[in-house]
Amino acid sequence: MAGFRPPSSGLSALRPEAFGVDPGGARMARIRRSPHFKDGVFQNPGGEARTRPSGTAWDFAKLYFDKEQRTRRAPLGNIPVHATTFADLARPAATGLRVTWLGHSSVLVEIDGRRVLFDPVWGERCSPFPFAGPRRLHPVPLPLAALGPVDVVVISHDHYDHLDMPTIKALAGTDTLFAVPLGVGAHLEHWGVPADRLRELDWHEATEVGGLTLTATPARHFCGRGLRNTQHTLWASWVVTGAGHRVYHSGDTGYFEGFKDIGADHGPFDVTMIQLGAYSEFWTDIHMTPAQALRAHLDLQQGGPGGVLLPIHWGTFNLAPHPWAEPGEWTKEAAEEAGQAVAFPCPGEPFEPAGELPTRPWWRDVSRPLERTWSVPQSTPVAASRDDLDLVGEG
């Protein structure tokens, strides 16, 4: 079977290919030299972030498997998906910047004549197994082959809902480059990406691709694809700067004061793509609520409303106890109160941040009524000392 080693390798022969591989050799030596690697693991900005759920397993199980709550975590009907076509994407962006949210954290950004694809996940499940794990709530808007040429694929970290082996293998057969956080390149090489097409960066390092500058910036999260979490691959947010535009993709992160530094060094941005789904009181350190995501956007814009916020990491996979449509409603209310422009495209719907934004709350068409249980804080939230649930490396 593909990806398996000879029986003489013992238990390692049972390791699924999708687990990837741990970094070694020169790559591991470089990791050890990183100023962000200490005591054998990568360190989070803003202090230690626990990477297991707070509270008891029983408390979480009661909430997660409650019958009434489970029905709220999925749409009532088919999620509207924009029928994106190759012709849509082949037409140059009138303003030089066009963004297409493809679901969850997958985003195609056409910026100053180049095409950047963030966290592409075309797989049916975000899992190492085809028969288990969170399954898509909507189909991908278009086949990967219909996307057209991509100049660079950017990966934020190695969790299954951001780094999808089947998608990477398909892209390995093209001539695209890959920009990844330090250590993540080991997985990609294992799946067939040539080393000379990898740009593997530590935080604050940058690389040039076709006139674009891609900079890996800090995030507050964790890594891991197997049964044990070695913290030997880095997680990152990303800044992409062209001749006329600049964008930010958060990957997965909890709120931390470093957003202000990223904004001061690289902002303001035409559009920020910020994680604001799969949050929970059980893991407040390393995922953000919509209110925290809005605060992060304002920090990135150097203190006030500006640019466009694109919500990501919601609507596609069921990864947390909150109602499926809550991220949309909460973001809409928080942004309106702050006077911040937000784009709410259906999956696959292209838009230009300098043009007319998609703002219709489409999720209401297929959502159960929501009880308003959130708040819009008036001050900057502080990163709490809670944790995330690593469902075989998701989130």
Side-chain angles (χ1 to χ4, degrees), residues 34-390:
S34 169
H36 313 295
F37 192 77
K38 182 181 178 183
D39 299 328
V41 296
F42 279 110
Q43 305 291 317
N44 263 304
E48 183 179 359
R50 294 171 55 191
T51 57
R52 297 291 171 193
S54 62
T56 67
W58 174 245
D59 289 337
F60 180 78
K62 283 193 300 183
L63 174 64
Y64 199 81
F65 295 106
D66 177 82
K67 184 176 180 180
E68 181 179 349
Q69 294 298 324
R70 287 180 69 184
T71 60
R72 291 166 154 250
R73 296 202 303 270
L76 283 172
N78 294 330
I79 295 172
V81 175
H82 181 80
T84 315
T85 67
F86 178 78
D88 290 334
L89 301 177
R91 186 170 54 251
T95 63
L97 177 63
R98 182 167 58 208
V99 179
T100 307
W101 179 53
L102 297 159
H104 201 58
S105 295
S106 302
V107 188
L108 175 67
V109 175
E110 299 165 274
I111 174 172
D112 297 333
R114 299 295 179 179
R115 307 177 95 227
V116 183
L117 182 59
F118 291 94
D119 285 356
V121 175
W122 259 252
E124 184 65 18
R125 295 182 186 271
C126 49
S127 166
F129 309 109
F131 53 84
R135 192 170 190 170
R136 283 186 167 275
L137 299 175
H138 66 80
V140 290
L142 78 170
L144 188 60
L147 198 62
V150 173
D151 293 289
V152 58
V153 172
V154 177
I155 303 296
S156 64
H157 63 297
D158 70 0
H159 286 164
Y160 288 97
D161 56 324
H162 298 260
L163 179 61
D164 180 54
M165 182 187 72
T167 305
I168 296 300
K169 282 190 163 189
L171 290 166
T174 70
D175 60 359
T176 186
L177 299 175
F178 293 82
V180 302
L182 191 56
V184 174
H187 297 310
L188 273 65
E189 283 193 51
H190 183 60
W191 299 330
V193 177
D196 63 1
R197 282 170 45 203
L198 285 172
R199 305 289 185 269
E200 199 164 345
L201 306 183
D202 201 347
W203 290 340
H204 309 298
E205 292 182 342
T207 188
E208 301 289 326
V209 176
L212 301 178
T213 301
L214 289 78
T215 306
T217 46
R220 186 170 167 81
H221 200 56
F222 68 114
C223 66
R225 293 179 71 85
L227 298 178
R228 62 189 181 91
N229 183 0
T230 62
Q231 296 291 79
H232 286 169
T233 66
L234 189 60
W235 47 96
S237 58
W238 288 87
V239 170
V240 178
T241 305
H245 299 88
R246 59 185 63 218
V247 303
Y248 172 85
H249 189 286
S250 72
D252 278 359
T253 182
Y255 180 83
F256 68 113
E257 292 292 325
F259 288 116
K260 296 176 182 177
D261 296 327
I262 296 171
D265 292 340
H266 302 283
F269 299 95
D270 297 282
V271 62
T272 68
M273 300 156 272
I274 298 188
Q275 171 265 309
L276 48 68
Y279 49 82
S280 171
E281 62 184 8
F282 287 91
W283 50 78
T284 56
D285 256 2
I286 40 188
H287 279 296
M288 290 191 291
T289 67
Q292 291 172 318
L294 174 64
R295 171 50 56 192
H297 172 87
L298 298 177
D299 290 346
L300 291 162
Q301 298 301 90
Q302 302 177 353
V308 176
L309 167 62
L310 172 65
I312 62 172
H313 204 267
W314 78 288
T316 302
F317 297 107
N318 182 349
L319 300 176
H322 62 68
W324 169 76
E326 185 178 276
E329 289 291 346
W330 190 350
T331 302
K332 188 174 187 300
E333 180 175 328
E336 286 175 352
E337 182 165 322
Q340 173 58 51
V342 182
F344 289 117
C346 296
E349 181 181 2
F351 71 93
E352 301 195 26
E356 183 178 353
L357 298 181
T359 58
R360 191 181 79 84
W362 54 265
W363 58 86
R364 292 177 182 172
D365 297 343
V366 290
S367 171
R368 293 170 177 80
L370 291 177
E371 296 179 8
R372 188 187 185 285
T373 58
W374 57 86
S375 61
V376 181
Q378 300 301 310
S379 59
T380 301
V382 178
S385 52
R386 295 289 184 97
D387 256 312
D388 197 10
L389 178 68
D390 184 3

